[in-house]
Amino acid sequence: MMDPDYDLFATIVDEGGMAAAGRRLNISPAMVSKRLVRLEERLGTRLIHRTTRRLALTPAGERLHEDLHAIMAALEEAERRVSGASAEAAGTLRVSAPTSFGRMHVAPYLGRFLEAHPKVRLRIDLSDDYADLLATRADLAIRITADPGPGLAAHRLATNRRVLCAAPDYLARFGVPETVPDLRRHRLLAADGQLPWRLIGPKGAATVEGDSHVRTNSSEMVRELALSGVGIALRSLWDISDALERGNVRQVMPDHEGSADVGLYAVHLPQNNPPLAITAFIDFLAGLYAPSPPWERSGIAPA
């Protein structure tokens, strides 16, 4: 058995607060606070900064929480080996995902995952910020990037195909670009930090410099601007395939796409024995998106 105060500390972090931890452990918030203070005094260090709005782990708290997760996973595995019990995913799983992707391509399938793993409790946080797994206390993050980040266990789930597209009204007014130099003379649409574009075409890589016709920090805004005929955007197929299929936008320069370096990843902190909830969710996502993601439509030009 693990020291109950260690278990209490891990529960506070996992639940995101003392009141929530108390509810899970069936003890009062005052008792949770008292036992946390007792643990900190015994260890001789502060583990959690308390403010009126939130809790934040100290560096010592971050190290302890990471170590405890590894220890608890190892204990669970040891118990399963000794008892011969079948492995079953359980516990709270915190997942961070990009806002649009999470809404469109994670949320619709979560019921299926929960039916298969009824002992897992999910918390899904959607944000377009680059989630720091320690700071956000996320067990797993879905990232769409060329670099999933150093020091993380990264599982590539799919290639993130990105195509050039524009509304028919825009193309009727300004013409259809056929070459990269043509493209540079058009109204480009991109969120902050997304230009220049690096495209791959029949002659290799090409870079498209320029400024967005409308400046915005929102990728969803770029999508809506493209749909309304403001300009040409480089969009992920998971985001735009339905609009392409309906004819709300048209693919332009289909022989050029965004660099294939960008992929869809599931990342988590490296552990020798990751909790089964993490591995089960990664396997579930891999089954959804590989070998052919649901947004790969027959009407889209092949890669």
Side-chain angles (χ1 to χ4, degrees), residues 126-188:
L126 300 183
S127 173
D128 290 328
D129 294 334
Y130 209 62
D132 183 314
L133 297 184
L134 285 175
T136 60
R137 300 189 298 276
D139 300 301
L140 181 77
I142 298 172
R143 291 182 176 172
I144 302 171
T145 180
D147 179 10
L152 295 173
H155 307 263
R156 189 178 177 102
L157 303 172
T159 295
N160 185 54
R161 285 185 62 197
R162 293 169 297 149
V163 301
L164 295 161
C165 58
D169 287 349
Y170 173 86
L171 298 174
R173 290 178 61 199
F174 297 99
V176 180
E178 297 182 356
T179 66
V180 171
D182 289 345
L183 191 63
R184 294 180 181 126
R185 292 190 288 270
H186 274 263
R187 296 179 176 179
L188 309 183

Side-chain angles (χ1 to χ4, degrees), residues 70-108:
I71 291 169
M72 288 188 286
L75 285 174
E76 290 173 0
E77 178 63 24
E79 288 181 358
R80 284 195 296 269
R81 286 199 300 266
V82 170
S83 66
S86 59
E88 185 174 7
T92 299
L93 178 66
R94 285 176 167 75
V95 179
S96 173
T99 303
S100 294
F101 185 86
R103 174 175 52 80
M104 297 170 65
H105 299 293
V106 178

Side-chain angles (χ1 to χ4, degrees), residues 53 57 102 118 183 247 279:
R53 299 187 61 183
L57 289 174
L183 191 63
T279 57

Side-chain angles (χ1 to χ4, degrees), residues 14 27 30 33 102 114 125 127 131 184-186 188 212 236 246 260 262 281 296:
D14 290 343
I27 58 178
S33 179
L114 291 171
D125 293 317
S127 173
R184 294 180 181 126
R185 292 190 288 270
H186 274 263
L188 309 183
S212 179
S236 298
R246 292 191 302 266
V262 177
F281 198 72
E296 295 278 1

